[in-house]
Amino acid sequence: IEPKMIAEELASQDMPMLLNSTPGVYATQQGGGAGEARVTIRGFDQRNLSVMIDGIPMNDMENGWVYWSNWFGLDAVAQRTQVQRGLGASKLSIPAVGGSMNILTQGISSKSYRSIKLTVGNDGLLRTNVGYNSGRLKGGWGITAAFAYDRQDGYVEQTWAKRFFYYLKVQKQLGNHMISMGAMGAPQSHGQRTGKQPIFMYDKAYARKLGANLDTTYVAGMIASGQEGNYGRRYNPSWGTLSRDRHKPDAMPEQLNSNVNYYHKPIFNLRHFWAKNNWAVSNIVYGSVGKGGGTRARGGTTYDQFGHLDMDSLYNENTTGSAWVPPFDTIAVNDTNQYKSRNFIQSAINNHYWYGLLTTVNKAFSKYWDLSFGVDARSFWVEHYSTPYDLLGGDYAVTNSTADPNLLFDPEDNVKREGDIAGYRTSTNVYSGGLFAQLEFAKDKWSTFVSASGGYNYYIRQDQYRKKDLILADTSYSMALGVNDTIYRNGTAYTHESPEAQDATTGGVDYW
């Protein structure tokens, strides 16, 4: 995909949407949220594709997924996009079976340019892109920079977006060596549409045309809950209108989406490249720090006549001080001015630290033969937890049932306020490393290659909400120490506060 096509056809779309013009590739915007494009190559989804930016792997190390909202403005500095369909030549230790996609950015070897692009579209879309590439300056320096801002109301109801993008790369040529430092990120938040809905919710006539039976108990139940259907393709059931009048009787109504994604994943890299006499060596050290999460509604799901969440009803229920009903706990705060939220918006947090090293050595034996080999090593730590994001008029929420005997804490610890860690909390370490080698022959219209690679992965997960493990010199007990538990061993009493008590863990799991 060359720069001309990117400039002329991308417009306000996500980068993968350009790939629809290439054979074997299908890309879609999914539910309409900004930055939520998905791409499949020959039927393989993004978890089975190697997605890279300047050769740096971008697939999430925990589940292999790719989130395009993390670099929405990359087109301002994109030089070209390389797409490989199917398992083939790859400079990674574990090549993806579905294929690979590598977005290459401008640099010292590109022409100097300055660009300002303003995009205006329907539903309040306004985007500004500023790009700059110096080319080769005196002294062998080069600078590439970009900034982008995007705001929109969204085609689908309440799929608004507010997004920034920044990019900076500084390069220095030192004889046969090239040193490069780069940073990029895209802090953003955007409204989402909830999961899949029956077709009749959008268009009853079209549902019948497809043969859907609208006389089922399931459909009757949805209609009884307030979701009549036939709301049009822009319909989004996850939002509603809310008046926060508990503390401010004259509060103005607001439109509130219970499904919002907010994230910032800056990526930093340091590169060294050396080339001489048919030899080339590339070294890349990179790191990423991601922070953010996504929200969803918990509690009631009352809908109004338009099929949207009846936020005022949920809010009013919270401000009456009504207790939770079984199987949830009925813990109360000893303060008549404190209201318990039966309905609230919860955020699932994903914070991670990611570091990697990628070294590639290339040797051209002749005009037709080429050998490359290298090392690919990565380290990934991530924590997941949930927190009350918006209590919708209440002062606290009860987020866990005490029915699970393996929970660590007292029932009183289930009382949570906005920002508190609630519901679950886990952390995961993933370590990956491997070697790869490839011999390639290319002449005229023919090419062939043989490659070999080997990878090692190590995975360990801790759960801070489970009873702790007791690790002793001669034995260990798994998930044995809760708040009220004591284990006696060789005359010593151990509790969950003992130094030998550690967070519940899966133990190390590894594979080649």
Side-chain angles (χ1 to χ4, degrees):
I1 308 297
E2 298 296 337
K4 182 180 179 180
M5 183 176 178
I6 295 174
E8 293 180 353
E9 299 186 21
L10 183 62
S12 61
Q13 302 177 101
D14 295 328
M15 286 288 288
M17 299 305 294
L18 280 180
L19 303 181
N20 275 325
S21 62
T22 63
V25 180
Y26 173 70
T28 174
Q29 292 286 127
Q30 285 206 109
E36 295 187 4
R38 299 284 174 93
V39 59
T40 61
I41 298 180
R42 293 181 173 174
F44 292 98
D45 64 26
Q46 294 176 144
R47 292 171 298 175
N48 297 297
L49 307 177
S50 290
V51 178
M52 297 167 283
I53 297 178
D54 288 331
I56 299 175
M58 293 294 151
N59 298 74
D60 188 285
M61 283 192 64
E62 209 176 16
N63 57 24
W65 209 248
V66 180
Y67 304 95
W68 295 99
S69 58
N70 290 330
W71 42 81
F72 85 96
L74 193 60
D75 57 288
V77 291
Q79 183 180 26
R80 61 176 54 87
T81 300
Q82 299 174 335
V83 180
Q84 176 181 283
R85 293 177 293 277
L87 186 63
S90 176
K91 301 298 175 64
L92 298 173
S93 63
I94 307 177
V97 66
S100 62
M101 175 180 176
N102 189 17
I103 301 174
L104 301 176
T105 62
Q106 304 280 351
I108 196 171
S109 59
S110 306
K111 293 182 179 180
S112 173
Y113 77 93
R114 298 166 180 80
S115 67
I116 298 178
K117 182 171 69 172
L118 179 65
T119 304
V120 180
N122 58 288
D123 300 291
L125 171 64
L126 180 62
R127 176 183 295 184
T128 302
N129 289 61
V130 179
Y132 169 74
N133 184 57
S134 67
R136 185 180 298 275
L137 299 174
K138 292 182 178 180
W141 289 93
I143 299 175
T144 306
F147 171 81
Y149 171 72
D150 175 296
R151 59 91 49 213
Q152 54 186 287
D153 298 328
Y155 177 79
V156 174
E157 296 173 334
Q158 284 299 300
T159 54
W160 51 266
K162 295 180 181 179
R163 305 188 291 175
F164 294 87
F165 174 77
Y166 57 88
Y167 181 94
L168 178 64
K169 177 165 64 177
V170 179
Q171 296 175 287
K172 171 66 174 177
Q173 183 81 46
L174 296 170
N176 295 322
H177 300 267
M178 174 72 75
I179 307 296
S180 174
M181 293 183 293
M184 61 172 284
Q188 59 84 31
S189 61
H190 68 275
Q192 297 177 304
R193 176 152 57 179
T194 190
K196 298 175 183 177
Q197 296 289 315
I199 295 177
F200 86 90
M201 296 297 290
Y202 305 104
D203 190 327
K204 287 185 176 179
Y206 187 62
R208 290 191 179 95
K209 182 180 179 180
L210 294 178
N213 181 6
L214 302 187
D215 298 321
T216 64
T217 303
Y218 172 74
V219 174
M222 295 193 69
I223 293 175
S225 71
Q227 294 177 293
E228 290 281 349
N230 217 36
Y231 297 122
R233 67 173 62 189
R234 298 191 184 210
Y235 170 64
N236 182 1
S238 64
W239 71 279
T241 302
L242 172 63
S243 298
R244 299 179 187 267
D245 54 4
R246 175 186 166 193
H247 299 293
K248 189 177 180 181
D250 59 346
M252 295 296 293
E254 63 177 283
Q255 293 180 332
L256 182 65
N257 191 341
S258 63
N259 286 27
V260 173
N261 175 272
Y262 56 98
Y263 213 76
H264 184 201
K265 179 188 172 73
I267 302 171
F268 310 92
N269 66 81
L270 175 63
R271 300 165 176 269
H272 166 254
F273 181 78
W274 171 86
K276 186 177 181 180
N277 297 333
N278 296 326
W279 284 92
V281 179
S282 171
N283 299 289
I284 306 174
V285 178
Y286 59 91
S288 171
V289 180
K291 293 185 181 295
T295 67
R296 65 182 179 90
R298 285 199 58 179
T301 54
T302 304
Y303 296 92
D304 62 20
Q305 60 180 325
F306 304 107
H308 303 137
L309 282 176
D310 189 349
M311 289 290 189
D312 281 334
S313 174
L314 303 178
Y315 183 91
N316 293 336
E317 186 176 356
N318 289 342
T319 56
T320 62
S322 61
W324 286 75
V325 296
F328 298 98
D329 302 294
T330 56
I331 302 166
V333 175
N334 189 22
D335 185 342
T336 57
N337 294 320
Q338 296 283 294
Y339 290 86
K340 186 189 306 184
S341 289
R342 173 171 180 151
N343 316 294
F344 60 97
I345 297 176
Q346 176 177 285
S347 182
I349 303 297
N350 178 322
N351 298 330
H352 73 247
Y353 296 89
W354 184 357
Y355 308 100
L357 166 67
L358 183 61
T359 295
T360 304
V361 180
N362 185 272
K363 168 64 175 177
F365 287 102
S366 67
K367 184 179 179 180
Y368 307 118
W369 291 94
D370 190 270
L371 173 68
S372 60
F373 56 91
V375 177
D376 177 14
R378 312 177 206 176
S379 171
F380 184 79
W381 177 89
V382 60
E383 66 171 345
H384 298 280
Y385 64 87
S386 66
T387 179
Y389 183 82
D390 189 334
L391 290 172
L392 299 179
D395 298 292
Y396 67 95
V398 177
T399 58
N400 275 83
S401 168
T402 56
D404 189 339
N406 288 319
L407 289 181
L408 171 65
F409 36 74
D410 276 330
E412 296 295 333
D413 291 334
N414 288 333
V415 174
K416 302 295 182 180
R417 304 180 188 276
E418 290 180 5
D420 288 347
I421 295 176
Y424 62 89
R425 186 182 186 185
T426 65
S427 58
T428 301
N429 291 82
V430 183
Y431 304 99
S432 175
L435 305 173
F436 58 89
Q438 177 177 285
L439 180 64
E440 185 174 5
F441 172 81
K443 183 179 180 181
D444 300 328
K445 296 182 179 181
W446 294 89
S447 66
T448 186
F449 70 92
V450 58
S451 65
S453 63
Y456 173 78
N457 291 271
Y458 180 83
Y459 176 96
I460 187 169
R461 176 177 180 270
Q462 299 84 31
D463 191 335
Q464 289 84 358
Y465 257 49
R466 296 295 174 182
K467 290 186 177 183
K468 290 187 175 182
D469 298 338
L470 179 61
I471 309 299
L472 302 176
D474 57 345
T475 189
S476 62
Y477 301 84
S478 176
M479 288 197 300
L481 290 174
V483 172
N484 300 313
D485 296 322
T486 302
I487 293 179
Y488 294 91
R489 177 78 177 179
N490 297 329
T492 303
Y494 298 95
T495 70
H496 82 290
E497 296 291 346
S498 300
E500 294 83 1
Q502 302 179 9
D503 291 334
T505 180
T506 60
V509 177
D510 61 349
Y511 60 92
W512 291 87

